[in-house]
Amino acid sequence: MGRNFENRKNAIFKTAGQKSKLYSKYGKQLYVVAKNGVPDPDANPALRSMIEKAKREQVPAHVMEKAMEKARGAGGEDFASARYEGFGPGGSMVIVDCLTDNNTRTISEVRNCFTKTGSKLGATGSVALWFDQVAILSFKGDNEDRVLEAMLNAEVDVDEIESKDGYLTIFAKPGEFFKAKTALLQAFPGTELEVQEITFLPQTTKTLSPEDLAMFQKFIDMLNDCDDVQNVYHNADLPG
């Protein structure tokens, strides 16, 4: 199972010119999570986690509040999840997760990214089987045994606990995410989570030639420019 988080962070937008895209992404995700549950983070763990993640990415409070106010109102937009899988430059494997209110528009935009970079859309399931969907909690610490004990006491099904560079990372089944997080914070109050998400990790990575790497970067940039694209997962081994 791959463990290189940096290989997956292409959807995190750093420059000032990209902030509007980041805010739009979180605004849409917060709206959907609040609309599908309740627009109250105290009663909606998924919403609470999403808000915490948005805060770490420095999404302004007014953006988050606007999304929740929208979810509290009657009617509103009807977003649906859409997932596309395929093969990028150099034989890399890619999963693209979207939120859309117009499937025709979204598939057209995603297909365009594949076509213009010599990539190929695949059938549903053709790529996902080469990835592991896992819940991840990462935080500063070095006492692996105490964390494992806390997970066992809470009957959390943990796949692995990794200790590296002063950080501990818990890998668990996706359905164990909130249970693991609750157990961790109860056992270690005040713990600040650097990573808390359910994600796809590649089982193996793919090294790209310089030419394929340049095209892959273009491919990922094009996908991230699509408003409906929320997350992109891949197995390309990107240089640090």
Side-chain angles (χ1 to χ4, degrees):
M1 185 183 297
R3 294 294 190 243
N4 191 343
F5 295 112
E6 293 307 313
N7 282 353
R8 293 192 324 87
K9 294 302 180 183
N10 295 291
I12 304 303
F13 307 94
K14 300 294 185 184
T15 66
Q18 294 168 320
K19 284 183 179 178
S20 60
K21 167 66 177 177
L22 180 69
Y23 299 164
S24 174
K25 168 186 168 180
Y26 275 106
K28 188 181 292 186
Q29 290 182 355
L30 286 163
Y31 168 77
V32 170
V33 172
K35 192 75 173 179
N36 290 341
V38 292
D40 178 4
D42 291 332
N44 187 337
L47 178 59
R48 185 163 62 249
S49 289
M50 183 64 66
I51 290 173
E52 291 171 359
K53 187 176 180 181
K55 286 180 177 178
R56 289 197 305 277
E57 297 297 336
Q58 300 182 337
V59 176
H62 71 84
V63 173
M64 294 185 279
E65 184 55 36
K66 182 178 178 181
M68 286 183 285
E69 283 292 339
K70 187 176 178 182
R72 294 185 189 107
E77 296 166 288
D78 186 16
F79 289 106
S81 298
R83 174 170 294 157
Y84 305 102
E85 304 173 33
F87 302 89
S92 57
M93 293 186 288
V94 182
I95 298 173
V96 184
D97 275 353
C98 304
L99 283 175
T100 179
D101 58 356
N102 185 323
N103 282 312
T104 301
R105 178 195 66 228
T106 303
I107 184 57
S108 176
E109 291 180 350
V110 171
R111 182 183 289 114
N112 183 59
C113 297
F114 277 82
T115 301
K116 289 192 173 181
T117 57
S119 305
K120 183 179 180 181
L121 272 172
T124 300
S126 60
V127 166
L129 78 164
W130 299 105
F131 286 72
D132 294 306
Q133 190 177 28
V134 294
I136 297 177
L137 301 169
S138 187
F139 50 95
K140 288 183 179 179
D142 55 13
N143 198 324
E144 195 173 340
D145 290 338
R146 284 189 62 201
V147 172
L148 178 58
E149 182 181 4
M151 295 298 105
L152 292 175
N153 288 338
E155 298 183 346
V156 177
D157 184 7
V158 174
D159 290 335
E160 181 182 348
I161 298 179
E162 180 183 78
S163 180
K164 184 177 181 181
D165 299 330
Y167 281 85
L168 290 172
T169 303
I170 299 171
F171 298 91
K173 298 290 189 296
E176 299 286 272
F177 176 80
F178 295 113
K179 189 177 177 182
K181 180 180 175 181
T182 300
L184 178 68
L185 297 180
Q186 286 179 347
F188 305 96
T191 297
E192 293 188 10
L193 293 167
E194 298 291 327
V195 177
Q196 50 171 321
E197 61 186 357
I198 296 173
T199 187
F200 283 95
L201 295 180
Q203 295 168 4
T204 59
T205 56
K206 177 74 174 180
T207 300
L208 303 180
S209 69
E211 294 79 10
D212 286 333
L213 181 59
M215 185 60 71
F216 181 84
Q217 295 283 12
K218 177 182 178 181
F219 174 52
I220 295 297
D221 287 343
M222 289 178 66
L223 285 171
N224 284 329
D225 282 340
C226 297
D227 287 340
D228 296 335
V229 172
Q230 301 300 301
N231 289 294
V232 179
Y233 310 99
H234 62 79
N235 75 333
D237 187 9
L238 301 183

